[in-house]
Amino acid sequence: MRVLYVIHGPVFGGAHNQALRLRAPLEARGVETIVVLPSEPGNAVDRLRRGGVRVVTIPLHRVRATVDPRVHLRTVAGLIPEVHGLRRLIREREVDVVQIGGLVNPHGAIAARREGVPVVWQLLDTRAPPPVAFGAMLAVRALATVIMPTGSRVLAAFPGAERLRGRTVPFIPPVDTDAFRPRPELRATLRADWGIPDGAPVVGSIGNLNPQKGYETLVRAFARVRERMPDARLVIVGSEHGSHAGYARRVRALVDALATAEGASPVTFLGPRTDVDRLLAGFDVLALASVPRSEGIPTAALEAMASAVPVVATDVGGVREVVEDGVTGSVVPALDPRSLAAAVVELLSEPSRRSEMAVESRRRAEERFSLDRCAETHLRAYRMALSRGAGRR
């Protein structure tokens, strides 16, 4: 079976991570995945190819959260030629199933339907505002053979979700629980590399620097944590991309205000990294401050749990489906620095409770988030799509 996975983002994120992690277990089950990415600057192509994923780049525009009409005009103007390009790929590569990563870009689904190929459409997040989501869901309902939401809460966030139940296969993003595991032997080395004393409380956060990740809320919350724990440190892992340069500057301005009288900053930016499985060993807590209408199920939370790191996350998307409040971490209201800071301080202040959460987090990760389990779920969705056929064009 050959699957063409169309992803419109050039910067490595959740959809790309899914393709990377599932390549080997799907190949072991007879599924070859080819990823299509836009031919524009970004780090996703190199990371995927280094991981052995087959990648094709073509001109591929996407819907953007901007009021600039030129961006939207370019997207509309590119739709027909880009659909034609995808149709050629489907024919040349003899594709059996087309998979769509995200809600608002229908190019791959239109191309698949024109070629008589079934469509597996993944709903990965809740970013689209209600009017956009309503319009996009009309396309999903008309073009998708099978829908794969990241959890039931994400599906419920979309209008008309109740009409899709018969062709829905929910999934949890995959985690390599062999790579992401407790590694306490790395703690001292990592903290030395970061210039952080081994005994200092460390809050980590993982995610690209964009508005959906809520880094402004996180930094404001961390300022409150420092009021209670002056030696606490914050370590941020993630890419900065040109399209969100202004947002990254605002986050860094907030961070600069936290510098001590000696000029030392309690916040360390590590940039994009491919060794997150190692870096998690240096964190006491992972904090995710995502805003409303942003996440589906954040992969970073799953990877932290697999690494036995408790998670404090905002109550968005499907977070509560994986992080159980008071058991594997804390779930707090979004856009609320005070609540986020209080939950972080509570966990940092209680090492024994944090250890209990770490053990339970790891157990659940092994049971629910493994690569094999996620690969089997995808295989079930592909087989369902093939059995239902492409449907009407």
Side-chain angles (χ1 to χ4, degrees), residues 249-290:
R249 284 194 295 271
R250 293 197 301 274
V251 172
R252 288 184 176 273
L254 288 173
V255 167
D256 290 343
L258 298 179
T260 64
E262 296 78 24
S265 175
V267 181
T268 300
F269 289 91
L270 297 182
R273 298 289 291 262
T274 59
D275 59 344
V276 172
D277 55 323
R278 292 182 65 257
L279 301 179
L280 280 161
F283 300 167
D284 292 306
V285 171
L286 181 82
L288 301 176
S290 304

Side-chain angles (χ1 to χ4, degrees), residues 78-247:
L79 178 62
I80 292 176
E82 290 162 14
V83 167
H84 283 313
L86 289 166
R87 290 184 68 180
R88 282 195 301 273
L89 272 176
I90 292 169
R91 291 194 300 268
E92 291 169 0
R93 303 299 177 102
E94 299 180 333
V95 169
D96 299 298
V97 174
V98 169
Q99 181 171 317
I100 311 299
L103 173 67
V104 295
N105 298 294
H107 306 53
I110 296 170
R113 287 301 189 147
R114 296 296 295 171
E115 294 299 318
V117 172
V119 175
V120 172
W121 200 317
Q122 294 190 323
L123 304 180
L124 302 174
D125 56 52
T126 56
R127 292 181 186 180
V132 175
F134 179 81
M137 284 301 289
L138 294 177
V140 172
R141 285 160 51 188
L143 298 172
T145 316
V146 172
I147 297 93
M148 293 188 75
T150 50
S152 58
R153 285 174 176 261
V154 168
L155 181 64
F158 293 105
E162 67 281 355
R163 303 183 186 181
L164 303 173
R165 298 292 179 183
R167 49 185 168 131
T168 299
V169 180
F171 77 104
I172 294 176
V175 177
D176 185 345
T177 52
D178 291 330
F180 288 88
R181 65 183 190 278
R183 303 172 80 172
E185 72 279 2
L186 296 178
R187 176 186 173 97
T189 300
L190 289 167
R191 293 186 171 210
D193 290 344
W194 302 337
I196 297 175
D198 189 48
V202 174
V203 181
S205 194
I206 300 169
N208 296 330
L209 265 69
N210 63 53
Q212 286 77 29
K213 297 298 182 182
Y215 277 110
E216 290 174 300
T217 298
L218 176 64
V219 174
R220 292 188 177 104
F222 182 67
R224 293 178 175 274
V225 172
R226 291 268 294 176
E227 292 172 2
R228 297 280 303 275
M229 298 179 159
D231 58 339
R233 301 293 188 91
L234 174 63
V235 177
I236 295 175
V237 182
S239 299
E240 296 182 38
H241 196 247
S243 59
H244 297 297
Y247 179 78

Side-chain angles (χ1 to χ4, degrees), residues 64-78:
R64 305 293 294 274
T66 178
V67 295
D68 186 344
R70 295 170 298 177
V71 175
H72 302 303
L73 286 173
R74 285 194 293 268
T75 300
V76 172

